[in-house]
C-alpha cells in the first residue's frame, strides 16, 4: 500500500544533508512552508543552497533559516526588500553567495529541470552582467542567452490538501512555485493543511500528481 504521509514535520526533513540544494516554495509568505522550514532549522543541516523567489523577509520562515546561518548560497529573483535585514547583513559581510536570476528565468529554469530540458535560450538578461560567462546566440535577429536548469535534492512546498499518494491541490496564489519545484527535486516534501482519504480529491482539480511527491505531512494547527 502506497502511503507517503509522515507523522511529524521533524521526520519529514530528517535526512536533509549538509550541502544540499533545497527549493522552497512561496511568493513572499503566500505558499511558504514555514513549518517545514522551522523543522529544517531544528534539524541542523548547514551549507545549504536555497532556491526561492526571494531572500526572506522579517524574522520568520526563510529569513529565520538565514539568521541561523545555515545557508551558503541563495538563488532567487528578488533578494532585497524593506525587511530583508538578515540577507542584507549576511551579503554585506560576505557570508552568503547570491545568484540573481530574473523571475521568469528562475521559473523556467526550475520547470526545465522537471521537464528534462538541458537548457534554453532567453532574451532576458542579454547585454547585462547576468549574461557574463554564458553562451549567447543570435536567433531570427534577436540576441538570446543560454540558461541552465536548476535541479534540487529536496523541495519544501506548501499545498492546501493532499492524500496519502501525494496528490496535491493548492489554495489560490499559494500555488505559485510549488508545482514546478515538485517536479525538479529528487525528494519533494509537502506541508498540507489537510490530508484527505484517497479518492476524495477530484482528479480534475489535482495540480501536482503524487508521482512528483515523496512525502506529505500535515501542518500543526
Amino acid at each position: 500500500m502506497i502511503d507517503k504521509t509522515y507523522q511529524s514535520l521533524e521526520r519529514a526533513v530528517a535526512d536533509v544533508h549538509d550541502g544540499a540544494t533545497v527549493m522552497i516554495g512561496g511568493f513572499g509568505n503566500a505558499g511558504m512552508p514555514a513549518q517545514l522550514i522551522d523543522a529544517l532549522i531544528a534539524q541542523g543541516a548547514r551549507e545549504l543552497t536555497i532556491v526561492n523567489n526571494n531572500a526572506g523577509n522579517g524574522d520568520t520562515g526563510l529569513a529565520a533559516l538565514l539568521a541561523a546561518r545555515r545557508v551558503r548560497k541563495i538563488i532567487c529573483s528578488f533578494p532585497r526588500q524593506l525587511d530583508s535585514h538578515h540577507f542584507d547583513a549576511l551579503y554585506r559581510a560576505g557570508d552568503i553567495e547570491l545568484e540573481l536570476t530574473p523571475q521568469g528565468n528562475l521559473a523556467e529554469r526550475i520547470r526545465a529541470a522537471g521537464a528534462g530540458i538541458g537548457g534554453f535560450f532567453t532574451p532576458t538578461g542579454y547585454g547585462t552582467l547576468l549574461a557574463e560567462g554564458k553562451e549567447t546566440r543570435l536567433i531570427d535577429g534577436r540576441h538570446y542567452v543560454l540558461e541552465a536548469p536548476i535541479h534540487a535534492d529536496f523541495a519544501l512546498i506548501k499545498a492546501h490538501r493532499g492524500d496519502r499518494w501525494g496528490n496535491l491541490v493548492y489554495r489560490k496564489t499559494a500555488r505559485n512555485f510549488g508545482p514546478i519545484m515538485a517536479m525538479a527535486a529528487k525528494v519533494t516534501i509537502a506541508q498540507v493543511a489537510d490530508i484527505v482519504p484517497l479518492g476524495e480529491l477530484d482528479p480534475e482539480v489535482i495540480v501536482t500528481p503524487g508521482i512528483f511527491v515523496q512525502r506529505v505531512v500535515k501542518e500543526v494547527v
Side-chain angles (χ1 to χ4, degrees):
M1 183 179 71
I2 299 174
D3 188 351
K4 300 178 181 180
T5 58
Y6 274 61
Q7 297 306 308
S8 71
L9 295 151
E10 292 74 20
R11 287 190 61 193
V13 300
D15 60 345
V16 178
H17 54 84
D18 291 353
T21 296
V22 182
M23 292 180 174
I24 298 179
F27 192 91
N29 289 325
M32 181 176 66
Q35 293 188 12
L36 280 175
I37 296 173
D38 288 344
L40 181 60
I41 294 171
Q43 187 256 28
R46 297 181 175 275
E47 296 292 306
L48 302 172
T49 294
I50 298 298
V51 183
N52 186 261
N53 176 64
N54 57 57
N57 58 290
D59 299 297
T60 60
L62 178 55
L65 185 65
L66 295 174
R69 293 182 171 268
R70 303 292 174 76
V71 182
R72 178 187 66 82
K73 177 181 179 180
I74 189 162
I75 303 172
C76 70
S77 64
F78 191 65
R80 296 197 66 206
Q81 50 194 330
L82 184 63
D83 55 354
S84 58
H85 45 269
H86 290 298
F87 169 79
D88 283 355
L90 290 168
Y91 188 73
R92 293 178 187 277
D95 292 333
I96 192 170
E97 181 183 346
L98 169 65
E99 182 178 332
L100 186 63
T101 303
Q103 190 168 98
N105 287 5
L106 178 68
E108 185 63 8
R109 290 179 67 189
I110 296 169
R111 192 198 70 82
I117 296 172
F120 61 93
F121 283 97
T122 173
T124 305
Y126 179 82
T128 72
L129 293 175
L130 298 179
E132 285 191 354
K134 298 178 181 178
E135 180 183 342
T136 60
R137 186 172 296 183
L138 184 65
I139 303 174
D140 292 334
R142 192 175 188 186
H143 292 283
Y144 290 78
V145 181
L146 179 63
E147 292 286 352
I150 303 175
H151 297 270
D153 299 301
F154 298 89
L156 309 184
I157 63 175
K158 180 178 179 179
H160 181 50
R161 304 170 81 201
D163 61 26
R164 64 177 173 85
W165 281 5
N167 297 308
L168 304 176
V169 297
Y170 301 83
R171 187 176 186 276
K172 300 181 179 181
T173 57
R175 172 174 171 172
N176 51 70
F177 287 88
I180 57 174
M181 286 184 170
M183 296 174 64
K186 296 176 183 176
V187 176
T188 295
I189 308 169
Q191 169 190 323
V192 298
D194 194 21
I195 298 177
V196 302
L198 196 64
E200 186 168 318
L201 297 178
D202 182 351
E204 295 297 327
V205 301
I206 291 172
V207 178
T208 298
I211 192 172
F212 297 118
V213 179
Q214 283 69 49
R215 302 169 192 173
V216 181
V217 59
K218 186 175 179 179
E219 59 190 20
V220 178
V221 179

